[in-house]
Amino acid sequence: MLGVRLSDYHWAVVLRSRPGCGLTVEDLIRSALTVSRMVGGARPLVAVNDASEVWMWTRWTRQPEWETLTSVRTWLRAVDGLQVAVGPISVGPAGLRRSLLGARAAWHSAESCTGWCTYEDVSSVISLLTKDDEHTGWFAEEVLGELGGSSPWHATLRETLRLYLATGHSRQQVADAMYINRNTVAYRVQKAIQLLGRPIVEDDFEVRLALEIARVSSLTPLSGSAPADAATPSASLPSAVK
């Protein structure tokens, strides 16, 4: 009825006027429409939350580049008295809600936000520690990527990597704890890093935190990923885990 195709990629923007700045609801709505037009989104859905706050969703059939969205920052910052918080780009019916909650979480985590603030900039770990299980799940999903799959093999890879990081990258300690050999540890860590999609630094706090969340909670960060090959190779291992 609202003319919104729920299967698209959604992006929520919360626009507020600072007290005493003179911006009206009509000004906020016009700004919201301008933002959607500048980023090339479809006809936006705009909702007035109160006299000083407007919510806007725009959407695309394909995921846009983040640079396309941030290109409007300069224009937004030039509007005196306007405060803007943006959520993550999220897909599907749940994404419509998720993006708005992400934008609102940015406000709660950055009370001094002026001009422009994003969920990615200020709300990952802070929101995780101060909000609810839903935000915790988002954090784990975003950090773990494909490593957050729901299969038993994904869980085994996560636990191996968790112990590997907790023991200061000691293959021997992980092997002793899991009753496997050192080469199996190295192989599992290699596969886990491949699924993670990013290199492991010396003390990767975010990855360690996401792995702990997946281990101790009932949250399933990312489901539906194809299981990795569980066979232990006899080929050479990467130097990072030797």
Side-chain angles (χ1 to χ4, degrees), residues 80-97:
D80 187 41
L82 180 64
Q83 297 176 301
V84 181
V86 303
I89 304 169
S90 304
V91 68
L96 190 73
R97 175 174 178 269

Side-chain angles (χ1 to χ4, degrees), residues 102 114 162:
T114 57
R162 186 189 71 84

Side-chain angles (χ1 to χ4, degrees), residues 147 151-162 178 188:
L147 185 58
S151 75
W153 178 237
H154 285 91
T156 297
L157 293 180
R158 288 196 298 269
E159 179 62 8
T160 305
L161 182 60
R162 186 189 71 84
M178 302 190 75
R188 289 182 183 177

Side-chain angles (χ1 to χ4, degrees), residues 6 10-11 57 88-100:
L6 294 178
H10 304 284
W11 187 48
W57 291 265
I89 304 169
S90 304
V91 68
L96 190 73
R97 175 174 178 269
R98 172 177 176 173
S99 191
L100 176 63

Side-chain angles (χ1 to χ4, degrees), residues 152-213:
W153 178 237
H154 285 91
T156 297
L157 293 180
R158 288 196 298 269
E159 179 62 8
T160 305
L161 182 60
R162 186 189 71 84
L163 291 172
Y164 181 72
L165 295 176
T167 59
H169 299 195
S170 171
R171 284 197 295 153
Q172 187 59 57
Q173 292 185 55
V174 177
D176 292 342
M178 302 190 75
Y179 302 101
I180 55 179
N181 63 54
R182 287 161 51 92
N183 285 342
T184 300
V185 173
Y187 173 67
R188 289 182 183 177
V189 170
Q190 174 195 8
K191 298 300 290 186
I193 293 174
Q194 287 175 352
L195 291 175
L196 190 65
R198 65 185 242 189
I200 294 293
V201 298
E202 187 65 26
D203 185 16
D204 205 317
F205 173 74
E206 286 196 347
V207 172
R208 292 184 63 181
L209 184 56
L211 290 169
E212 289 293 343
I213 291 168

